[in-house]
Amino acid sequence: MTTEIVKAGPVAEERGLTRKTARRLARAERLVYGAAGTWAAIGPTLELPWWAHGAAIVTGAVSGWRLWRRMEGDDWTGQLSAAMRTLPVLGWSATYTAGLLAPVFHYPNGWPMLGAAAWTAVMVPMAPFTRSKGLRQAAEKLPVLQEPQPVGEPEPVTFQDHVRVLWARAQVTGETELHGIRQYQAGEPDFEAVILAPAGQAMPPALNKRAIAAVFDVPEDAVDTRELPGYGPGRLAVQVAPRLAEARHHAQLHAALEETPGQALERMWAEHVDITGGAAPGVDLVQHDIGEDQIRLWISSARGQTLSVNHAKLCSALEIDDTSRLVMEGAGPREAVVYIYRANPLLEVRAPTREDLTMDERGRISIGVAHDGSLARIQLFNFDTGRAQHGIAAGTTGAGKSGLMRLLGAAQRISGVISWMADVQGGMSMPEMEGRIDYFAKGPVETMKQLRALHAVKVYRENHSSGRGDFDFHGPWRLIQWTGDEINRLLSSLDQDIRREAAWMIGDLQKTGQKVGIGVDLAVQSLHLKELGDNHEIREKGKEGHVVMLRTASSSTQGMGLDGISPEGAHISPIPERIYQGAGAKELFEGTAATEGVPTPGMGWLITEGKAVLFRTFVLKKVNGRYPQLEELMDSCPMPTLTPGEARAAGAAYARRGTPATAAEAPSAGTTSAPITTGRPDQTKEEAAPAPETADEETPSPFAAAAKTPTIRQRILAALADKPEGLALKDIRAAVGCGTAAGPATRSVNNEVSTLTTEGALINLGKSVYRLP
């Protein structure tokens, strides 16, 4: 005979009491005691019906009778629990009854109230009802002695019998049985067997690998199942091999340590990138090339899908802490090349050479170095279309706009291009340009004069171009490139007249200057229309040639710069203000992180010829606030200028450029102006000198002249002013000059009449007859 200690089973009518439930129950119980104690103190003094007072007495009597009945038997736990639950009711009933008997026995009413208060003070902290439930639950968990059972046959102790017992005791196995158990090695838990369902039944769906692993308390990957060939769904072969799984894990770890870098890269891509919620779900790693300092990845999405890659997530998946080390260039809607560098490749960039800044046979100059080591080029002249090229560079203060403008000015002089530059900031941004280019304007006043002169040269070329639709690069005139630095200061001027005139002249030069060999380059901090004189065309025409996106202060500027020209599949990542090497989480935690980052002026994205390339402008060494290397490059080449006819058209502002009189009219950067030679290298002094009789003539504002010319709308309204009976549409066209040399186009007049009618400025009398309201 043996005696076993087993855990007492839970009582069916009792619910489990967790700590959270106990706290809630005690809180509710104490609130009841507070309310009941208050009623026991004041209830007996109130004039209530007899049955209301009697209910309190009866409640106590019934509770006492039930407690007396409960005391019978040997269940001491239940008796103690019942006594604790009845105690509050009996105490409250006695206190209430004492208050009712106060008039009978003539003792003060204060004593019953004091008794009610005492009862409340004891019951609230004690919470006997909640404690009784906790006591009952604790008693249920105590071990109890089981009745001695007669000793039967001893349980089998073989491995196979042990496995069968585990299978039979598990609930998830149901009525299935385990047969054909074969242990792989004595003393080891690995075995295989066959699971048999009852005759005519299929294997239970719940009996999967996870459930079987729970039966034998082994890792899930240690279980393998397969169907038995030639048998139905009522048989299933199973293998439970935790030792084999452990050996397999070690082998995989060893293989991971011995795998090649390429295999490791492919594994990382498959496990962390090309997954649901990853950096590039559905994007395949087609090919890779691992070098010493650079890794290139050719990636592609499925046919019919566009490439979508999260730059930050990709850096995280490939364990790249410095996001500037990963660059992605799109190659169409579904393919791209990812470059991963050991260190940011643009931290160290060389200085320019004369060959870099010399225009090639395609009209291109080099302005910097791309991330892959190739040259970053922009086009000044397109020989295919015969047109000068425009450009725009955007970047916040310190992003490197002025450095880019310096390179443009030097390249233009070295390449034989007439360079006109305006520094609206007063010459502070580019002091090296003064005296080294054909026309350098400082401040807003000189810039306005320069723009008027340039517009006059444009008109001169238009009048003498013999009807050509393109520019003859090798003809009598040189290519002119006008560069405006900090042009936002002019286009957002508080003087409305200056702002409107500047915006009009720049926009007109952009629209019509290309055909006569005049290109416009703008450097701005913001591309918002408010900063561009509310002229949408300035921004859009500026993006026709090349766009340089340096570090910007807002994503909206970047979006405006790339809207409509962003190459398909391009992934433009932001440019940080500084790049910190050796500033990862480990270095930050250990307190060894670099605190001095490398600034990134001149680093940005070049968007041109349908491509977006991460690059950095050539870096020059500054000496005493100037760049002597750039000055030497420019001084080694002759400075191209206007022809005499163009100089006369440019007027007095051009003739007096760089003189003290001109400098006195505008803010100066404090630099002295070097002598300016006029004329092309192959011209004599007499040919290059401007006509003296025109040297004092100020160039008139083309905007004022354009403003005096009545618009089509004004002409239409003037034609109908004295015609109360109205005019037919054909008569309106004749009145405004359609068909004449200076008259508007017929379609333009028709559209304006329709617009005026829609706006209510004209009344349609029918049959294409219109009059004023």
Side-chain angles (χ1 to χ4, degrees):
M1 300 292 287
T2 60
T3 300
E4 296 184 1
I5 298 178
V6 298
K7 186 177 74 174
V11 180
E13 62 270 12
E14 294 289 342
R15 297 180 58 187
L17 190 67
T18 63
R19 292 184 178 181
K20 186 175 182 180
T21 305
R23 287 194 299 268
R24 291 179 176 175
L25 186 59
R27 189 182 300 116
E29 184 179 357
R30 286 163 179 157
L31 291 175
V32 172
Y33 290 154
T38 303
W39 181 250
I42 64 174
T45 63
L46 301 177
E47 294 182 1
L48 299 175
W50 64 266
W51 54 264
H53 295 305
I57 301 173
V58 172
T59 300
V62 172
S63 297
W65 177 77
R66 292 192 63 183
L67 177 62
W68 179 74
R69 293 290 303 272
R70 185 70 172 172
M71 291 298 105
E72 299 178 357
D74 297 331
D75 184 11
W76 64 271
T77 304
Q79 294 170 358
L80 180 59
S81 176
M84 293 182 68
R85 296 183 184 183
T86 310
L87 177 63
V89 181
L90 291 176
W92 179 82
S93 179
T95 303
Y96 196 93
T97 303
L100 292 175
L101 296 177
V104 177
F105 294 100
H106 303 288
Y107 54 81
N109 286 335
W111 287 104
M113 292 184 181
L114 183 61
W119 175 85
T120 305
V122 172
M123 292 298 108
V124 167
M126 185 176 178
F129 183 81
T130 304
R131 290 180 184 272
S132 69
K133 291 184 70 65
L135 176 65
R136 186 62 178 269
Q137 184 173 3
E140 290 168 358
K141 296 181 180 180
L142 293 176
V144 297
L145 294 179
Q146 192 178 41
E147 289 294 329
Q149 300 293 333
V151 178
E153 294 294 329
E155 292 188 0
V157 293
T158 64
F159 178 82
Q160 288 76 5
D161 291 339
H162 175 69
V163 170
R164 288 194 188 94
V165 169
L166 292 177
W167 188 265
R169 289 179 177 177
Q171 295 182 357
V172 72
T173 57
E175 300 179 2
T176 62
E177 298 179 353
L178 210 59
H179 290 267
I181 302 171
R182 184 173 72 88
Q183 187 181 15
Y184 290 159
Q185 185 177 351
E188 297 294 337
D190 296 2
F191 71 93
E192 65 181 25
V194 175
I195 306 173
L196 294 179
Q201 296 184 22
M203 200 62 58
L207 200 57
N208 50 30
K209 292 183 180 181
R210 185 177 181 83
I212 297 173
V215 171
F216 298 106
D217 193 20
V218 297
E220 188 174 348
D221 59 355
V223 178
D224 189 20
T225 60
R226 66 180 184 276
E227 297 179 355
L228 286 174
Y231 292 93
R235 295 173 184 258
L236 188 67
V238 60
Q239 180 191 58
V240 181
R243 295 291 182 266
L244 290 179
E246 185 178 354
R248 186 165 58 250
H249 291 165
H250 285 294
Q252 291 175 351
L253 179 60
H254 184 71
L257 294 175
E258 293 186 349
E259 66 183 355
T260 65
Q263 292 172 335
L265 181 61
E266 292 173 355
R267 177 176 54 81
M268 291 174 65
W269 190 273
E271 293 178 357
H272 303 289
V273 180
D274 186 10
I275 59 173
T276 302
V283 177
D284 297 326
L285 178 59
V286 180
Q287 193 172 337
H288 55 75
D289 180 25
I290 301 178
E292 183 177 352
D293 297 318
Q294 179 197 85
I295 299 176
R296 286 179 299 165
L297 310 178
W298 173 11
I299 62 175
S300 175
S301 63
R303 294 184 61 179
Q305 302 295 323
T306 56
L307 191 70
S308 178
V309 179
N310 186 300
H311 186 272
K313 281 188 176 182
L314 184 58
C315 291
S316 175
L318 301 180
E319 297 182 338
I320 300 173
D321 53 354
D322 181 4
T323 57
S324 67
R325 290 169 43 210
L326 187 145
V327 182
M328 184 161 57
E329 289 189 11
R334 56 180 290 263
E335 293 184 318
V337 175
V338 178
Y339 299 83
I340 304 173
Y341 295 95
R342 186 179 300 276
N344 189 295
L346 299 177
L347 294 182
E348 299 291 338
V349 177
R350 65 178 177 85
T353 64
R354 180 168 179 172
E355 289 72 22
D356 294 326
L357 303 179
T358 302
M359 186 188 299
D360 63 11
E361 66 279 359
R362 291 184 54 191
R364 301 177 303 174
I365 60 170
S366 301
I367 59 173
V369 179
H371 65 90
D372 59 356
S374 62
L375 292 175
R377 295 186 175 96
I378 63 172
Q379 201 170 36
L380 297 182
F381 185 78
N382 190 328
F383 286 95
D384 295 331
T385 62
R387 295 190 176 189
Q389 296 296 288
H390 299 322
I392 192 166
T396 188
T397 302
K401 298 188 302 296
S402 298
L404 175 61
M405 298 301 107
R406 288 188 186 94
L407 292 172
L408 290 179
Q412 290 158 10
R413 173 165 175 171
I414 293 172
S415 301
V417 177
I418 299 175
S419 181
W420 285 22
M421 304 187 80
D423 182 359
V424 185
Q425 201 172 357
M428 299 174 61
S429 300
M430 300 176 293
E432 299 84 4
M433 297 297 105
E434 188 171 6
R436 289 185 172 85
I437 59 174
D438 185 42
Y439 194 170
F440 183 66
K442 299 181 295 183
V445 176
E446 282 193 31
T447 300
M448 292 299 294
K449 293 181 179 180
Q450 186 185 60
L451 282 171
R452 292 168 186 153
L454 183 61
H455 195 275
V457 173
K458 180 195 75 94
V459 174
Y460 172 84
R461 288 188 173 186
E462 288 174 340
N463 294 335
H464 295 79
S465 60
S466 302
R468 285 183 64 103
D470 58 359
F471 180 71
D472 184 4
F473 186 81
H474 302 289
W477 300 320
R478 291 289 184 94
L479 184 68
I480 301 177
Q481 198 74 21
W482 181 78
T483 305
D485 191 19
E486 299 290 349
I487 202 64
N488 286 107
R489 293 172 177 260
L490 190 65
L491 295 177
S492 60
S493 171
L494 296 178
D495 190 322
Q496 184 177 0
D497 294 335
I498 291 178
R499 183 173 68 247
R500 292 177 57 197
E501 182 181 359
W504 183 88
M505 286 191 293
I506 293 175
D508 193 57
L509 287 169
Q510 287 178 320
K511 285 185 290 186
T512 60
Q514 288 178 300
K515 297 180 181 180
V516 292
I518 299 177
V520 175
D521 273 305
L522 302 177
V524 297
Q525 289 194 19
S526 170
L527 288 169
H528 291 270
L529 291 182
K530 182 180 179 181
E531 303 292 326
L532 296 177
D534 294 324
N535 194 323
H536 177 76
E537 291 185 349
I538 290 179
R539 184 172 66 197
E540 299 310 309
K541 294 294 289 186
K543 296 190 294 184
E544 288 186 355
H546 53 266
V547 174
V548 177
M549 296 300 302
L550 303 171
R551 177 172 54 86
T552 58
S554 65
S555 58
S556 59
T557 293
Q558 179 172 303
M560 294 172 187
L562 299 175
D563 183 38
I565 65 164
S566 180
E568 196 167 14
H571 297 265
I572 310 297
S573 57
I575 306 298
E577 184 176 358
R578 286 177 175 266
I579 294 177
Y580 294 87
Q581 292 183 304
K586 180 177 181 295
E587 290 81 6
L588 288 172
F589 180 78
E590 296 175 350
T592 60
T595 57
E596 295 295 330
V598 180
T600 60
M603 188 182 298
W605 287 87
L606 172 61
I607 299 91
T608 183
E609 297 182 338
K611 294 179 62 178
V613 179
L614 180 67
F615 85 109
R616 191 171 190 176
T617 56
F618 292 119
V619 175
L620 295 161
K621 185 177 181 181
K622 183 181 287 188
V623 179
N624 296 327
R626 300 173 73 90
Y627 297 92
Q629 186 178 1
L630 192 66
E631 294 175 348
E632 293 175 3
L633 287 173
M634 297 180 70
D635 293 341
S636 64
C637 301
M639 183 167 59
T641 61
L642 299 178
T643 63
E646 292 174 313
R648 284 191 292 270
Y654 180 75
R656 296 199 301 264
R657 67 195 187 282
T659 62
T662 305
E665 296 176 5
S668 173
T671 58
T672 58
S673 174
I676 295 180
T677 59
T678 59
R680 289 171 49 178
D682 55 347
Q683 292 175 335
T684 64
K685 293 182 179 180
E686 291 75 11
E687 292 174 331
E693 64 272 10
T694 63
D696 294 330
E697 295 179 7
E698 190 68 44
T699 306
S701 170
F703 178 71
K708 294 179 181 179
T709 304
T711 63
I712 297 176
R713 173 181 291 242
Q714 292 172 338
R715 294 182 183 184
I716 294 173
L717 296 177
L720 292 171
D722 55 349
K723 298 292 189 296
E725 70 282 0
L727 287 175
L729 181 59
K730 63 177 181 178
D731 297 328
I732 295 176
R733 290 198 292 260
V736 300
C738 286
T740 62
T746 300
R747 179 178 297 179
S748 299
V749 176
N750 294 345
N751 292 339
E752 193 62 40
V753 168
S754 177
T755 302
L756 288 169
T757 304
T758 303
E759 295 175 354
L762 292 181
I763 297 176
N764 188 351
L765 301 179
K767 296 183 180 181
S768 298
V769 176
Y770 300 87
R771 69 172 177 84
L772 295 176

